[in-house]
Amino acid sequence: MSYVNSWRAVAAATGEADRGAAEDGVRLAYRSAGLAEPEHIIWAQSPRAAVEAVEKLVDAGRSVREEVRTRPWADERRRMYDELGPAGWSALWSATGAQLWETTAALAERIRTGIVTDLATRPEDESAVRLVLLDAVLGQHDAAWLAAFDGRGERLTGLAAVARNAGWWWPYERAVVISERPVALHRDEAGRLDRGDGPALAYGDGFALHAWRGMPVPAEFLDGLATLTPDRIRNEENAELRRVMLEYYGYDRYLTESGAEPVHRDETGVLWQIALEGDEDVVMVEVVNSTPEPDGSHRTYWLRVPPRTRTAKEGVAWTFGLDGEDYAPLRQT
């Protein structure tokens, strides 16, 4: 469904919001919920700045998230479920929202965590920040469920308009706070936040998240990746950060430069093992592609296998979902 891809693009959109279109969407969402339009619309450069703006609101009234977002969504879902039946609704969700849900939900949770980390400098502040976050409508990051209802319910038109043109927003009786979209978003092929030389997600006011293949890392940690050495990797006490260092540095390079010795050889390849203090061993099989490259050379591959692997053949077999004794290829490629 082409509109699923359009919502995928909405979820990943960066750059300046279309403030006029987003504000029109907000007003429509209020009218659709039977509410008076908000008296004030306040813009913030990031969700973090929006939380700070919400905390400073005076006489904004109560949150109306229930009326403008939760209730219309629940009513439309019930209507579609009754119309399509259990199997039909399941098929619709699988073909639409389910394709976007995992990555957008994970991204939204990372943003929440980043906001709490930045703003709750004291443990006693955390609950207040989380309460403000509960009032948020996720805008572009509501793309998954909006994709499922695209063109199927006029009550959601206003919400969809805000999502297509802005980031998170906070609806109250007399005021709305809306966040700009990020200015940069970097993800790997699995949709996880991923960047080795800067923030993976960044907003215009400096609010940013740093990650390597989905794992949160400190900004200063990334600054040191370019100057890694085997000793620096070996001496890192945090097992997760050490694993990131190894991936960035390259297992083959680490094995070569650290003077590692192979633990097993056979006709399928060479088995290597890296012992890491406080973490499971890294075990890799080095294999050579029997099919030559255009220049006649043969490419070497490194396959990560379970720590319990004892032979190269067993490791290669594991990558095919087989036991070592069952792996007997007629021809290796």
Side-chain angles (χ1 to χ4, degrees), residues 215 233 236-246 276-280 282:
M215 195 187 102
I233 296 171
E236 171 57 52
E237 295 181 356
N238 185 303
E240 288 187 334
L241 294 182
R242 188 167 56 211
R243 199 172 300 124
V244 172
M245 290 176 171
L246 275 169
L276 299 175
E277 185 177 346
D279 196 7
E280 66 178 19
V282 173

Side-chain angles (χ1 to χ4, degrees), residues 7 65 69 104 136-147 163 169:
W7 281 107
R65 183 183 187 275
R69 195 274 193 189
T104 53
V137 181
L138 301 189
Q140 68 181 125
H141 298 141
D142 268 335
W145 70 268
L146 287 170
W169 56 290

Side-chain angles (χ1 to χ4, degrees), residues 241-278:
L241 294 182
R242 188 167 56 211
R243 199 172 300 124
V244 172
M245 290 176 171
L246 275 169
E247 290 183 357
Y248 186 90
Y249 197 73
Y251 293 104
D252 53 343
R253 183 183 174 194
Y254 180 86
L255 289 167
T256 300
E257 296 183 7
S258 64
E261 295 289 336
V263 296
H264 182 264
R265 296 175 183 269
D266 59 29
E267 70 280 6
T268 63
V270 182
L271 187 72
W272 299 82
Q273 186 170 7
I274 306 172
L276 299 175
E277 185 177 346

Side-chain angles (χ1 to χ4, degrees), residues 22 30 52-53 93 171 179 188 215 220 248 260 277 281 283 300 307 321:
Y30 271 61
E52 293 178 303
W93 176 251
S179 168
D188 64 10
M215 195 187 102
E220 58 272 16
Y248 186 90
E277 185 177 346
D281 292 350
V283 179
T300 299

